[in-house]
Amino acid sequence: MKLPDMHQADPIPDAALEAVTALLRSGDLFRYTAAADAPVALLETEFAALMGSRYALAVSSCSAALFLSLKALDLPADARVLIPGFTFAAVPSSVLHAGCVPLLCEVGENYRVDLVDFAAKLPQVQAVIISHMRGHTSDMDAIMAMCDEARVPVIEDAAHSLGTLWHGRKIGTIGWIGCFSFQSYKMINAGEGGILITDDADLVARAVIMSGAYEHNWKKHDVLSEAFARHQNRVPLYNLRMSNLSAAVIRPQLPLLQERVEAGRRNHDHLAARLEVSPNIEVPAALSGEARAPDSIQFNLSGLDDDAVDDFVRRTDAAGVKVQVFGRSTDNARAFWNWQFLHDQPELPRTRAMLMRACDVRLPVRLTRPELDAIADTLLKAVQQAAAHKLAVA
Ligand SMILES: *Cc1c(COP(=O)(O)O)cnc(C)c1O
């Protein structure tokens, strides 16, 4: 069985091709030109309905959505924002961009927020961003109980969690605001794009204006006009709008989401079950109450020293499966020590130990069972050889 190209993005459905062609013929790419029913506006209505939230605002990226969420919360100057120590560099960056100060929280070997460290640091912050990193859901019941008690707003970074459920609730709808990405490696591929959802009219009104709804363009949003009247001309315009072109690429993919989620979960669980026979591989289980929507798999290597871990990565690479160990690949944007733009360099021993053994493999939802088995065979053989080589050298 030939190994698939796991880095190729997913193709865009033909329906998008027709929508894009019509759009290009009309030249109507700016979301606020049409009086009504612009593709971006339709996407917002459809996405809010899909998620069961009151409002949605489509923007240029998930990073932009996180930035606007923080700005729209109207936090005091230099507010501290608690974020997980295991996330993508865009998250601490959006905090800095919003004029806030990130405070990092430990993450456990199951890739989820360490609740003891979270509770200890919560009294020091004015807002929280929970990154469900690689789609791994942290215990949202415990987090929301603590944050509600402390009256601290929670933003969910659900970039990789579109379609994930937590006790039947959609991830991204549990916190005050949920942010999603349409970058090519996420469940819905538009190259670039993001969207935020919330039930708070006042907050979304601020975010809409700041995203670039200058003058009275907010009238083309489905939000109460009193909310806009309060903020007109009082908040800056950052111009982070989505183009109609992106919306035309995204909309035909929304009806495919459920199918992709189920395929992703099936693929992930099959590969996880195969990998777990190895004494050197551990795939952290989902939390009870969590129904995942994976487009990648993460697992921890055990019983291997640094050299053997690097040996495993070299062997898989040579065989045609790209594995990244977050903490051992050079300049990885998900390793907190590479965020040298932070003023205070944090030390998070638990998170660091996890990153040094946690492997990351992309798993496009289109993979077939024989392809998944070929990937499993490659990984199992490489880990066995790396472990045996280590013994032989010792
Ligand atoms: C991809 C990703 C982002 C950034 O999304 P963009 O749309 O590329 O800005 C943020 N957080 C997480 C966890 C991500 O995986």
Side-chain angles (χ1 to χ4, degrees):
M1 182 69 213
K2 200 170 160 292
L3 285 163
D5 180 355
M6 291 148 77
H7 290 270
Q8 181 67 44
D10 286 306
I12 309 298
D14 286 352
L17 230 99
E18 289 156 33
V20 167
T21 306
L23 205 56
L24 291 179
R25 294 219 162 102
S26 75
D28 197 7
L29 304 185
F30 183 57
R31 68 165 297 171
Y32 291 131
T33 305
D37 293 342
V40 180
L42 294 174
L43 167 65
E44 288 168 345
T45 306
E46 289 160 0
F47 196 83
L50 178 73
M51 299 304 290
S53 60
R54 232 176 249 158
Y55 310 110
L57 169 64
V59 290
S60 53
S61 68
C62 180
S63 304
L66 291 167
F67 162 75
L68 285 172
S69 299
L70 289 167
K71 295 301 284 183
L73 281 172
D74 210 12
L75 301 167
D78 292 327
R80 306 240 272 173
V81 180
L82 192 52
I83 65 169
F86 175 43
T87 184
F88 186 57
V91 175
S93 304
S94 70
V95 175
L96 288 186
H97 191 191
C100 303
V101 181
L103 181 64
L104 274 56
C105 163
E106 287 270 28
V107 169
E109 43 288 321
N110 65 354
Y111 320 128
R112 289 157 175 94
V113 166
D114 177 325
L115 294 175
V116 173
D117 198 42
F118 185 85
K121 288 172 176 164
L122 187 59
Q124 304 171 47
V125 303
Q126 283 76 50
V128 164
I129 297 178
I130 298 295
S131 269
H132 302 293
M133 190 52 179
R134 287 292 189 263
H136 300 289
T137 311
S138 289
D139 183 340
M140 289 307 288
D141 293 346
I143 287 168
M144 292 311 296
M146 281 189 258
C147 291
D148 286 347
E149 164 92 38
R151 297 176 165 275
V152 171
V154 175
I155 299 167
E156 285 183 86
D157 168 13
H160 259 303
S161 294
L162 184 54
T164 302
L165 300 178
W166 174 252
H167 293 292
R169 296 172 71 190
K170 294 190 168 72
I171 282 298
T173 66
I174 298 172
W176 206 249
I177 312 169
C179 298
F180 298 87
S181 173
F182 302 118
Q183 185 266 342
S184 286
Y185 276 0
K186 316 289 160 130
M187 207 45 107
I188 289 180
N189 168 16
E192 301 281 3
I195 198 162
L196 69 83
I197 55 172
T198 182
D199 288 339
D200 183 332
D202 223 44
L203 186 140
V204 82
R206 278 197 296 273
V208 162
I209 296 174
M210 287 190 283
S211 77
Y214 60 92
E215 295 164 356
H216 289 172
N217 279 315
W218 51 259
K219 289 186 176 156
K220 293 170 183 169
H221 286 263
D222 231 356
V223 190
L224 305 173
S225 57
E226 306 92 83
F228 286 107
R230 280 195 287 279
H231 303 293
Q232 180 83 56
N233 298 343
R234 293 202 177 91
V235 290
L237 302 168
Y238 295 104
N239 282 12
L240 299 164
R241 292 175 300 256
M242 177 182 277
S243 150
N244 279 337
L245 215 43
S246 306
V249 172
I250 294 164
R251 291 180 61 219
Q253 296 182 63
L254 294 182
L256 306 177
L257 177 63
Q258 197 47 39
E259 209 174 287
R260 289 182 184 174
V261 166
E262 282 158 24
R265 194 180 303 151
R266 242 186 349 258
N267 290 352
H268 174 281
D269 293 352
H270 176 72
L271 185 57
R274 290 244 13 230
L275 295 182
E276 264 163 355
V277 303
S278 165
N280 302 105
I281 293 182
E282 213 187 303
V283 188
L287 295 191
S288 85
E290 179 188 13
R292 303 195 270 205
D295 54 20
S296 64
I297 187 166
Q298 288 70 44
F299 54 88
N300 296 327
L301 297 173
S302 63
L304 301 185
D305 61 16
D306 286 350
D307 289 341
V309 168
D310 294 344
D311 188 38
F312 167 71
V313 171
R314 268 193 307 273
R315 286 173 192 273
T316 53
D317 203 33
V321 178
K322 190 162 168 357
V323 178
Q324 272 200 328
V325 177
F326 293 103
R328 294 202 60 80
S329 73
T330 314
D331 295 329
N332 194 299
R334 299 149 202 90
F336 63 85
W337 53 89
N338 289 325
W339 307 338
Q340 290 171 29
F341 50 82
L342 294 183
H343 302 297
D344 295 318
Q345 283 305 304
E347 191 37 60
L348 303 165
R350 255 199 102 180
T351 309
R352 181 183 287 268
M354 175 275 286
L355 290 168
M356 296 311 256
R357 291 295 177 272
C359 300
D360 190 26
V361 179
R362 200 172 119 74
L363 223 50
V365 299
R366 64 176 179 273
L367 296 184
T368 63
R369 190 54 67 91
E371 287 172 333
L372 290 161
D373 283 328
I375 294 164
D377 293 340
T378 306
L379 294 174
L380 288 168
K381 185 172 166 201
V383 79
Q384 196 203 355
Q385 288 175 334
H389 182 71
K390 179 187 159 231
L391 287 178
V393 174

